[in-house]
């Protein structure tokens, strides 16, 4: 099996477009908080990826119960899926920043693996955990790491 190599830090390219119709907060970048970032790129079904936002409800409730965890989504759909993906985001608004990354610059700039990539960043934007919270006990691991981090 191949070892996954991840960058030590992530950054948001300026080319990302904030595309969330229900997000009423200001987005000041990734400073200050722990962050959960979910990135869906063009090898994923774009429509399926947006529809998965419903599955994030438990995680969103947990994030809302804390003062120091931010959550953001990045979608990089196939060009032919773009309009439908943007329409779905508009029809199913969430109160979290959703970025539209037409050229998949986030994944390319950070040298991330293709497909779905979900990770937890510390306050310095370093990756402290990655994994799909929808499988196994991964979401419990996210919560434990966040709880332990908050105690520091």
């Amino acid at each position: 099996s191949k070892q996954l190599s991840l960058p030590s830090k992530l950054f948001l390219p300026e080319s990302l477009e904030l595309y969330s119709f229900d997000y009423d907060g200001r987005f000041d970048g990734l400073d200050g908080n722990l962050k959960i970032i979910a990135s869906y790129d063009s090898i994923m079904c774009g429509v399926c990826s947006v529809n998965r936002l419903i599955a994030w409800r438990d995680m969103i409730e947990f994030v809302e119960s804390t003062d120091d965890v931010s959550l953001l989504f990045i979608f990089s759909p196939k060009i032919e899926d773009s309009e439908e993906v943007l329409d779905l985001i508009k029809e199913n608004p969430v109160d979290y920043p959703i970025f539209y990354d037409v050229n998949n610059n986030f994944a390319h700039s950070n040298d991330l693996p293709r497909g779905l990539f979900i990770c937890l960043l510390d306050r310095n934007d370093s990756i402290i955990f990655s994994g799909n919270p929808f499988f196994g006990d991964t979401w419990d691991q996210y919560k434990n790491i966040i709880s332990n981090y908050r105690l520091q």
Side-chain angles (χ1 to χ4, degrees), residues 12-20 27 73-75 86 89 97-103 105:
L12 292 178
E14 290 182 20
S15 61
L16 296 184
E17 298 175 41
L18 184 60
Y19 200 83
S20 184
F27 185 76
F73 300 95
I74 301 169
F75 290 96
L86 294 175
I89 292 170
I98 294 177
F99 288 91
Y100 179 68
D101 185 8
V102 69
N103 295 316
N105 289 329

Side-chain angles (χ1 to χ4, degrees), residues 59-85:
M59 291 165 239
I60 288 172
E61 285 179 21
F62 175 79
V63 168
E64 287 177 343
S65 73
T66 70
D67 291 331
D68 56 356
V69 180
S70 300
L71 175 63
L72 61 96
F73 300 95
I74 301 169
F75 290 96
S76 301
K78 295 176 187 150
I79 297 298
E80 60 267 21
D81 292 342
S82 293
E83 191 172 319
E84 189 174 6
V85 166

Side-chain angles (χ1 to χ4, degrees), residues 82-142:
S82 293
E83 191 172 319
E84 189 174 6
V85 166
L86 294 175
D87 287 345
L88 274 171
I89 292 170
K90 190 174 186 176
E91 292 168 11
N92 302 289
V94 294
D95 191 24
Y96 286 91
I98 294 177
F99 288 91
Y100 179 68
D101 185 8
V102 69
N103 295 316
N104 206 17
N105 289 329
F106 176 71
H108 294 306
S109 298
N110 290 293
D111 197 26
L112 298 178
R114 298 292 316 266
L116 172 63
F117 179 73
I118 303 172
C119 68
L120 176 64
L121 304 181
D122 67 9
R123 291 174 180 88
N124 298 313
D125 301 333
S126 296
I127 297 173
I128 54 178
F129 187 72
S130 69
N132 188 334
F134 299 108
F135 293 114
D137 67 347
T138 308
W139 178 235
D140 289 332
Q141 292 175 353
Y142 273 93

